[in-house]
Amino acid sequence: MDSQSPSCVLVLAGKSSAETEIAKTLKSNNALKLPDNSEVRFFVHPEIQRPPSEEPFQIDLFLKSLSTNQFGRFFIWSPRLPSTHDVVSHNFCELPIGAVCAADIQSKGRGRSKNVWESPIGCLLFSFTIQMDDGKIVPLLQYVISLAITEAIKEICDKNGLPYLDVRIKWPNDLYLNGLKVGGILCTSTYKSKKFNVSAGIGLNVDNEKPTVCLNAVLRETSVASYKFTREDILAAFFNKFETLYNLFIHQGFQALEELYYKTWLHSGQRVIVQEKNGEQVVENVVSIQGLTPSGYLLAVGEDNQMCELHPDGNSFDFFKGLVRRKL
């Protein structure tokens, strides 16, 4: 599809006839809008016979592998979007909870601190909707999502007899492989009618070796198998895992997932330097990370054995170069 095309293509699909009916209704009502009010052309899968994309997402493969009760069952695909996150957040109230939007190419993907990313072919780019009652646990949701991605990749490796790819979590919302960033998560929320409407966006480099690292390049280095990770397999495995982990999280709290999370993140025992003002001087203190606090920040202990909570300062691109200590 021409990047200068004045209209955007959205293909709507459902796992069951119920979700397909929702797709038909949304199409007939032209109910979904883009933030810039640009023209949208709607199709209900499988109306498009020749998808306008070099490597179109295989919707049927994804839906066949999906085994959830809620998440991922209503699916939106586009060959090119400014941002999948904007689609789900802007249309949150029109979409069923758990709806997902994926794109082959994303020109204005959203990151934290209003960073904007261009994402080419080869990346899994998607956003989905969640609704929560308890605002205190909303900040912890990004950790559940991170864990679901790493667990999904492990499951695919196990299912196909592949060596595990050691995808790790860098607090708070990045995914690393072989010391390089391979993915990231962004969650935003609004409060309406006593509910927290959360839009979660995920980007994962599956098959694009530039600019850093991708799953399939590392897989080729570690395995002689012919298997390649596909976006469809990963997305289905993610939602299958996420729904299970999310239900544990909601009913038992994040402590039910902590042990698994700490096995997957990069930071247990990590020593970091915290800069603090003491009058006119800036004093550096070394603390060791122990885990997470109930509010989702880093729990650390100083050389004086004083426990503290570490917050990002909001200014540093790397969270670990801008930490503010609050004693507990």
Side-chain angles (χ1 to χ4, degrees):
M1 179 173 146
D2 192 312
S3 62
Q4 303 303 314
S5 173
S7 62
C8 167
V9 171
L10 292 181
V11 180
L12 314 181
K15 171 75 173 176
S16 71
S17 58
E19 288 96 23
T20 302
E21 285 303 311
I22 294 172
K24 291 177 180 177
T25 300
L26 290 174
K27 178 191 174 183
S28 64
N29 294 335
N30 288 318
L32 304 182
K33 309 294 183 184
L34 296 182
D36 62 1
N37 288 319
S38 57
E39 181 186 352
V40 179
R41 288 187 292 151
F42 294 98
F43 298 88
V44 175
H45 179 72
E47 287 178 346
I48 288 187
Q49 300 301 316
R50 293 184 178 179
S53 175
E54 295 177 17
E55 299 179 23
F57 191 93
Q58 301 298 312
I59 296 174
D60 288 329
L61 290 179
F62 160 66
L63 292 176
K64 184 178 179 181
S65 299
L66 189 70
S67 59
T68 59
N69 292 317
Q70 181 179 39
F71 292 103
R73 295 178 63 89
F74 183 83
F75 184 73
I76 305 169
W77 170 75
S78 179
R80 175 186 287 270
L81 279 175
S83 165
T84 61
H85 198 279
D86 284 347
V87 170
V88 299
S89 60
H90 192 69
N91 297 284
F92 195 100
C93 294
E94 304 295 333
L95 297 170
I97 300 303
V100 56
C101 176
D104 294 344
I105 297 174
Q106 193 170 242
S107 59
K108 296 179 181 178
R110 294 175 61 179
R112 64 180 180 84
S113 302
K114 298 183 180 180
N115 291 315
V116 176
W117 305 94
E118 288 193 12
S119 303
I121 287 285
C123 296
L124 173 59
L125 312 164
F126 70 100
S127 301
F128 68 105
T129 62
I130 309 134
Q131 194 168 69
M132 302 176 69
D133 297 317
D134 185 357
K136 293 179 181 178
I137 66 172
V138 169
L140 299 170
L141 178 64
Q142 61 186 330
Y143 309 145
V144 182
I145 293 171
S146 301
L147 193 55
I149 293 174
T150 60
E151 288 299 295
I153 293 170
K154 287 179 186 176
E155 182 174 89
I156 292 172
C157 289
D158 188 55
K159 179 181 176 182
N160 292 279
L162 304 171
Y164 288 131
L165 296 193
D166 192 24
V167 179
R168 306 294 291 276
I169 298 167
K170 182 181 179 184
W171 183 87
N173 56 5
D174 286 335
L175 299 165
Y176 270 62
L177 177 60
N178 290 357
L180 297 170
K181 183 174 177 178
V182 74
I185 296 101
L186 173 72
C187 293
T188 61
S189 65
T190 58
Y191 186 67
K192 186 175 182 180
S193 302
K194 298 183 179 180
K195 299 281 187 179
F196 290 88
N197 295 335
V198 183
S199 301
I202 296 91
L204 182 67
N205 193 346
V206 178
D207 204 28
N208 192 324
E209 296 188 33
K210 296 180 180 181
T212 55
V213 68
C214 68
L215 298 182
N216 279 328
V218 176
L219 181 62
R220 284 196 299 271
E221 295 172 0
T222 58
S223 174
V224 296
S226 60
Y227 178 85
K228 286 182 63 176
F229 287 100
T230 67
R231 295 176 297 160
E232 296 83 359
D233 281 350
I234 295 173
L235 187 59
F238 164 77
F239 279 120
N240 294 342
K241 281 291 181 183
F242 175 75
E243 187 160 280
T244 299
L245 296 177
Y246 180 74
N247 286 333
L248 278 172
F249 170 56
I250 292 298
H251 294 110
Q252 299 181 30
F254 189 73
Q255 61 266 26
L257 306 176
E258 274 188 335
E259 182 179 353
L260 183 58
Y261 183 83
Y262 292 148
K263 287 180 179 178
T264 310
W265 82 337
L266 292 167
H267 309 298
S268 294
Q270 179 181 341
R271 292 165 64 85
V272 295
I273 296 174
V274 180
Q275 293 185 332
E276 297 172 306
K277 281 191 175 182
N278 186 2
E280 296 297 318
Q281 293 184 320
V282 175
V283 178
E284 292 188 343
N285 293 294
V286 178
V287 298
S288 297
I289 297 172
Q290 304 297 300
L292 294 171
T293 66
S295 57
Y297 291 109
L298 292 174
L299 177 67
V301 61
E303 295 179 323
D304 57 358
N305 290 323
Q306 171 71 47
M307 301 301 293
C308 59
E309 186 177 65
L310 303 181
H311 296 242
D313 65 2
N315 299 316
S316 303
F317 187 78
D318 186 337
F319 273 107
F320 289 88
K321 292 183 179 177
L323 290 169
V324 178
R325 178 167 69 166
R326 184 175 72 84
K327 294 183 179 179
L328 297 176

